[in-house]
Structure formats: C-alpha cells, structure tokens
Amino acid sequence: MEKTIWFPFLLSLLAGLATVIGSLIAFLSRRTNRRLLSFSLGLSAGVMIYVSFVELLAEAQLTLVEAAGRGAGLWTTAGCFFGGILLIGIIDKLVPSFENPHEARALEDMQTSPSKDERLMRMGVMTSLAIGIHNFPEGVATFMAALENPTLGVAIAAAIAIHNIPEGIAVSVPVFYATGDRKKAFWFSFFSGIVEPVGALIAYLFLMPFMSPSLMGCVFAAVAGIMVFISLDELLPAAHEYGEHHIAIYGLVTGMGIMAASLILL
C-alpha cells in the first residue's frame, strides 16, 4: 500500500476492533451503565448525522455539480445518497429481527448460568455474522473519508467505534453463556469487528484504481446515506431503549457540537 493508505486503513481497523472493547466490558462488568451508554450512542449519532449533511453530502454535491453541471450533479448526489440508504437498508432487512445486533440488551438481562444453550449460541453466531455484514460498508466509509480528509476520518472512526462497543457485547454475551468459554466469545466478537478493515481493503483494491473526483463524490454521497440510516435506524433507537431519552438527545447535540467545532478549528 502507498504511505497515504496506511492511516485510513488503521482507522478502519481500530473502529472495527472496538467490538473487542465491548466483549471485555461484558466479561468485567456486572451491570450496564445505561446513562453513559445512552449518551455515547447519542453522541455517535450526532457526529455521524452532522458529518453526513454538513461535510460529506456538501462535498459530494460540490464535486458532482462541478463535474456534470448543476442539474445532473444535484440529481446524481441525491441518487447516490438514497442509494446508500437503500444498500444499508437491504443489508439490515436481511438480519432476522430477534437476532438484530442493534436491539438494546443490558448485561444484567443476559447473565444467566453458563449452559450449553443452542438458542443462545445461535443468537451469538447470527449476531456476529450480522454485525460483520453491517461493518463492511462502515469500513468503506471510514477508509474513503480518511483518505480524502484525515480529520474527518478520525471523527467518523470514533463515532463508529462508539457504536461498535455495544455490538461487541451483543456478540460475546450469548456465546459465553451458551458455552461458558470466554475465549470463544472473545474471538466471535473479534471476527465480527475485523470485517471493517476488510471493507477498507476491498475499497482500496476495487475502487482506488478507478478513483476520480466524480466517483469520490458519488462515494461520499452514498457514505452519507449509510451513516444517516445507521444513526436514525440503529443508534438513536438503541439509545432510547436504554431508557434515557433526554440523555440520548443531549449526546446527539453534544456530538454535533463537537463535530462542528472540530471542522471549524482543524
């Protein structure tokens, strides 16, 4: 890889492996800090939504209008934005609802005696697979954003990492209580997160050879759509499910404020 590729790839790796942090929290904690988790998920959503509309979509529109003219550029931007939403929506639809990794689960609600419970094991395996599928486009998003703007890439990677932590919990807890094996639970969590840098690698191998300002604009618009969908369909509902509606909104506004300040100052 070229030197400039390593930093975006590293960001996608770190964001993906935040699932491991969730796995460790699940093993070391007895109760869920609902207020902190609710605030963190809201903050992550705020960062993603603000970045999507203020930075990514605006940059995509500017690039595509310059390349194709106002009418075609605006339509292409909108088409790619909703195309990104459609893509992640289809992926989300493929995940069975009772095993959806974005359904909020508190640690204390899942801690029962370790047993060979086939249903719990199936839940853990399916959740790991589902999170891996979800993390693939997130890896592409982190990589492409960081490639164009490292500061923006750091913000997106941080937001994705925050929401990957509870996903790590969702994977490791069912596997552990089905098998009693902490190592097995840890590795399931690890492999669900490692898909994210795989997405970055595939983006590098298949998109970079054809990269142009117009294609970058299309990718940015699609990434914006993906992140808006994740925020509205996954992060905010999960934050509310933890029972702290107002704290989730405070986190949302805080995330937007932090992102606004970072884009102005950096």
Side-chain angles (χ1 to χ4, degrees):
M1 294 184 187
E2 299 174 13
K3 186 177 180 180
T4 54
I5 301 302
W6 285 110
F7 184 66
F9 184 79
L10 179 62
L11 284 180
S12 67
L13 175 64
L14 294 176
L17 291 185
T19 55
V20 172
I21 298 175
S23 182
L24 295 175
I25 290 174
F27 296 149
L28 298 175
S29 301
R30 291 300 175 207
R31 299 193 65 82
T32 300
N33 187 331
R34 292 175 178 270
R35 294 169 67 87
L36 177 61
L37 186 54
S38 182
F39 181 86
S40 298
L41 290 170
L43 185 143
S44 179
V47 168
M48 287 192 179
I49 291 172
Y50 192 90
V51 163
S52 295
F53 286 118
V54 174
E55 189 73 12
L56 294 179
L57 201 59
E59 180 68 24
Q61 181 172 298
L62 184 66
T63 301
L64 292 170
V65 166
E66 184 177 331
R70 177 174 172 79
L74 291 177
W75 279 110
T76 303
T77 302
C80 291
F81 175 78
F82 288 106
I85 291 177
L86 179 63
L87 172 64
I88 194 67
I90 291 173
I91 291 174
D92 201 60
K93 192 70 174 177
L94 296 175
V95 181
S97 59
F98 78 95
E99 288 161 341
N100 195 312
H102 306 287
E103 293 293 325
R105 298 183 180 96
L107 290 173
E108 55 271 24
D109 295 335
M110 302 178 71
Q111 290 183 344
T112 58
S113 299
S115 64
K116 299 292 183 179
D117 188 320
E118 291 184 4
R119 186 176 182 278
L120 271 180
M121 186 63 191
R122 181 171 180 267
M123 178 186 293
V125 172
M126 290 297 294
T127 301
S128 177
L129 177 63
I131 289 174
I133 294 171
H134 278 80
N135 282 352
F136 183 85
E138 292 174 8
V140 175
T142 303
F143 178 82
M144 298 304 294
L147 194 64
E148 180 71 12
N149 184 334
T151 301
L152 183 61
V154 169
I156 292 175
I160 290 175
I162 289 171
H163 102 268
N164 277 351
I165 291 174
E167 291 182 352
I169 295 173
V171 171
S172 60
V173 169
V175 173
F176 172 63
Y177 284 104
T179 65
D181 189 334
R182 294 180 188 273
K183 288 184 178 180
K184 182 174 288 188
F186 174 87
W187 283 114
F188 269 95
S189 176
F190 174 84
F191 285 120
S192 69
I194 204 67
V195 174
E196 202 147 310
V198 171
L201 181 61
I202 290 177
Y204 171 74
L205 294 175
F206 291 96
L207 290 180
M208 290 305 296
F210 309 101
M211 192 53 64
S212 65
S214 295
L215 180 57
M216 182 65 81
C218 290
V219 170
F220 270 22
V223 165
I226 289 170
M227 294 206 301
V228 167
F229 183 93
I230 289 171
S231 299
L232 300 180
D233 183 66
E234 299 169 3
L235 299 183
L236 287 178
H240 294 161
E241 285 296 324
Y242 278 97
E244 298 289 349
H245 169 78
H246 290 294
I247 290 179
I249 298 303
Y250 300 153
L252 175 77
V253 175
T254 301
M256 289 184 171
I258 291 173
M259 198 63 248
S262 67
L263 290 175
I264 292 170
L265 297 174
L266 300 178

